[in-house]
Amino acid sequence: MAESSTKQSEARRSLDRPLTTLSSSSGPLAEELQCSICLDVFTDPVSTPCGHSFCKSCLNQSWDNSQTYRCPLCKEPFSKRPDLKINTALREVVLLFKGKSGESTSEVLCDICDDIKMKALKLCLVCQSSYCQTHLEPHQRVPKLKKHKLIDPVENLEDFICQKHEKPLELFCRDDQTCVCFLCAVTNHKTHNTVSVEEASAERKPQLMTMQTDVQQMIQDRMKRIQDLKHSAKLRKETSEKEKAESIELFTDLIGSIERCHSELLEMMEQKQKAAEKQNEELIKELEQEITELKRRDAELEQLSHTEDHLHLLQIYPSLSRPAHTSSFTEISNDTHVSVEILMRSLIQLQETLDEKLNKTVSTELKRMQRYAVDVILDPDTAHPILNLSEDGKQVLADRLVFEGAKTGQQSSSIDEI
């Protein structure tokens, strides 16, 4: 209890030694001394293994409500709950900041005034009372009272008084690093190295200056980091806006190209459809003509199958045996109408039927003629002039030159005679 009080009293006395440059940087410094959980200046600051600092109570409360232990700021996980110890150096900086900014000071009233309490000007550690300007006069005049220890008025007087001996804490024990009164120095701290609080405070000032320099450097580093982050964010925003505009332009052009391609495709499909329809119509017309021709041939074959004019049958057989001219079915595209496909299949079946019927008719007729075959010898004297007979008189061929001249109109009378 006494040790805690002495440490607090030492911290309180440090408030009487404000730094001249602290006020000029209190804004950024306040941000650096702010707990990211409660968003207030640190109270009993503790540091996590990852280096971030928080109020001890804030961090404990955060971890008490969680089954895992992570840094609330950077989210780094810890395998076990860290043992939290107050960062004394950071706490000293916080106390300095609070003292300069006036956060920890309040108006202390004179303990002697009866009616209207006046603002206290000084506090006497020996008398343990606060005095206004009027009631402080004896301490400035009476020789015995002049020896009393006067400090700036504070609310927590107990922090400056030894709780055991109720004496001012005027000495500092270097061995225990705590403030003690005169009686403590000659009893419990008799063999310890003790000095006045003024001397101990003077020794701490260089350390505080070093701490202040470090804190100011941290402030500058973080301010520069903030500027860099803002600049990076600005560049990212500008780049993002540029990329967004470029992507919109790209997709607009792409959509336009797709629409043009779609329009061209529809037009192409329409032209193809019209061409296919025209082709189908022409093909149907041609197929219908071929069907008419095939039916005519079928009728002719039917007539020849019952004829007794064997010579005529043999003469026209070569022309009948040749396949009838038909269209190439591969010319029909895959998207031809179903009715055209059915018509084509019907035509194929009809052609196959006619071929089969022709072959059967000719074969039957040849067999029948072979039963009545005789050895015939043609007479060259009675043969037509365009005919050439073989030497044995059993074969006859037309003269090609004479026949071709007849085709062009020459010797028409001979053709008519045939």
Side-chain angles (χ1 to χ4, degrees):
M1 179 69 175
E3 183 178 357
S4 175
S5 299
T6 55
K7 289 182 178 180
Q8 292 178 5
S9 62
E10 180 184 0
R12 291 292 181 180
R13 278 192 294 274
S14 66
L15 299 181
D16 297 333
R17 302 185 296 275
L19 303 177
T20 56
T21 59
L22 188 60
S23 59
S24 61
S25 59
S26 60
L29 181 60
E31 295 180 1
E32 296 298 329
L33 300 179
Q34 186 183 69
C35 173
S36 60
I37 298 178
C38 66
L39 302 180
D40 201 354
V41 179
F42 290 125
T43 300
D44 293 334
V46 293
S47 299
T48 58
C50 59
H52 296 117
S53 300
F54 308 91
C55 296
K56 184 176 182 180
S57 59
C58 294
L59 189 56
N60 282 330
Q61 185 177 3
S62 175
W63 284 350
D64 289 342
N65 299 328
S66 176
Q67 297 180 351
T68 58
Y69 307 112
R70 295 176 178 270
C71 173
L73 192 59
C74 68
K75 307 301 180 185
E76 179 178 343
F78 308 118
S79 58
K80 62 179 182 178
R81 184 164 181 167
D83 184 19
L84 300 177
K85 294 183 179 180
I86 295 177
N87 188 331
T88 55
L90 181 57
R91 183 176 63 178
E92 292 291 338
V93 176
V94 171
L95 292 174
L96 283 171
F97 171 77
K98 287 184 176 180
K100 182 61 181 177
S101 61
E103 292 185 12
S104 60
T105 60
S106 59
E107 186 176 280
V108 179
L109 302 179
C110 178
D111 293 329
I112 309 301
C113 294
D114 293 330
D115 298 330
I116 301 176
K117 293 288 186 180
M118 303 298 293
K119 181 180 178 180
L121 184 63
K122 291 290 181 179
L123 183 146
C124 178
L125 294 178
V126 178
C127 302
Q128 299 185 18
S129 298
S130 298
Y131 301 101
C132 63
Q133 181 64 46
T134 302
H135 295 103
L136 181 62
E137 189 272 336
H139 281 77
Q140 297 173 340
R141 177 175 50 83
V142 179
K144 186 177 180 179
L145 295 179
K146 285 183 178 182
K147 298 179 180 180
H148 289 187
K149 180 69 174 180
L150 297 175
I151 63 172
D152 290 337
V154 294
E155 290 183 336
N156 300 326
L157 177 61
E158 62 274 10
D159 292 342
F160 298 85
I161 302 299
C162 175
Q163 301 299 312
K164 181 178 182 180
H165 302 105
E166 295 185 355
K167 298 294 183 180
L169 297 172
E170 299 178 314
L171 302 175
F172 180 77
C173 177
R174 289 174 173 171
D175 296 338
D176 294 338
Q177 292 291 304
T178 184
C179 295
V180 296
C181 68
F182 177 75
L183 292 179
C184 291
V186 297
T187 54
N188 297 337
H189 301 267
K190 183 177 181 180
T191 59
H192 293 179
N193 182 9
T194 58
V195 294
S196 65
V197 293
E198 289 79 9
E199 182 179 352
S201 176
E203 294 174 353
R204 289 289 182 90
K205 282 185 177 181
Q207 300 176 8
L208 292 177
M209 296 298 295
T210 301
M211 292 170 57
Q212 178 192 10
T213 302
D214 294 341
V215 169
Q216 290 177 349
Q217 184 61 46
M218 291 172 60
I219 294 171
Q220 296 298 325
D221 294 342
R222 281 154 177 76
M223 291 179 66
K224 184 178 183 302
R225 179 59 176 164
I226 291 174
Q227 293 177 354
D228 293 342
L229 290 174
K230 289 181 177 180
H231 181 65
S232 299
K234 181 180 179 181
L235 291 179
R236 283 196 301 270
K237 183 177 180 180
E238 292 176 353
T239 303
S240 177
E241 293 294 334
K242 182 178 179 181
E243 292 177 351
K244 187 186 298 183
E246 291 177 351
S247 64
I248 292 175
E249 182 179 0
L250 175 62
F251 278 100
T252 301
D253 294 341
L254 181 59
I255 291 173
S257 299
I258 292 175
E259 290 177 348
R260 288 193 299 271
C261 291
H262 183 248
S263 177
E264 292 175 359
L265 178 60
L266 291 178
E267 183 178 356
M268 186 184 302
M269 291 176 63
E270 185 176 357
Q271 292 177 355
K272 185 177 179 181
Q273 177 67 21
K274 290 181 179 179
E277 291 176 356
K278 182 178 180 180
Q279 181 185 9
N280 291 343
E281 291 175 357
E282 293 175 352
L283 185 58
I284 290 173
K285 184 177 180 180
E286 183 178 352
L287 291 173
E288 289 175 346
Q289 292 175 354
E290 290 180 2
I291 291 173
T292 302
E293 178 63 24
L294 290 171
K295 286 183 178 180
R296 185 194 63 79
R297 178 176 290 198
D298 180 48
E300 186 176 356
L301 289 172
E302 179 67 22
Q303 181 180 2
L304 288 175
S305 64
H306 298 90
T307 184
E308 297 295 335
D309 189 352
H310 308 299
L311 182 60
H312 179 65
L313 186 148
L314 291 174
Q315 289 176 346
I316 68 172
Y317 176 77
S319 62
L320 292 175
S321 62
R322 288 194 297 269
H325 172 72
T326 57
S327 300
S328 175
F329 300 133
T330 58
E331 295 177 357
I332 303 177
S333 59
N334 293 331
D335 55 353
T336 306
H337 196 271
V338 177
S339 60
V340 178
E341 295 180 355
I342 296 175
L343 182 59
M344 288 168 53
R345 288 197 296 269
S346 301
L347 182 59
I348 293 173
Q349 294 175 358
L350 179 59
Q351 178 68 36
E352 292 175 350
T353 302
L354 291 176
D355 291 342
E356 181 181 358
K357 188 174 181 180
L358 176 61
N359 292 333
K360 183 178 180 180
T361 301
V362 173
S363 177
T364 303
E365 188 64 23
L366 287 175
K367 290 179 180 180
R368 187 175 65 84
M369 291 175 63
Q370 287 174 357
R371 289 198 302 268
Y372 301 99
V374 295
D375 191 8
V376 178
I377 298 176
L378 300 176
D379 185 4
D381 295 333
T382 60
H384 196 279
I386 69 171
L387 298 178
N388 292 327
L389 299 181
S390 62
E391 293 181 357
D392 59 0
K394 294 183 179 181
Q395 295 181 1
V396 60
L397 296 174
D399 189 292
R400 184 175 60 84
L401 294 176
V402 177
F403 186 76
E404 289 181 351
K407 288 173 60 180
T408 59
Q410 300 175 3
Q411 299 184 9
S412 59
S413 60
S414 297
I415 295 301
D416 293 337
E417 292 177 1
I418 296 175

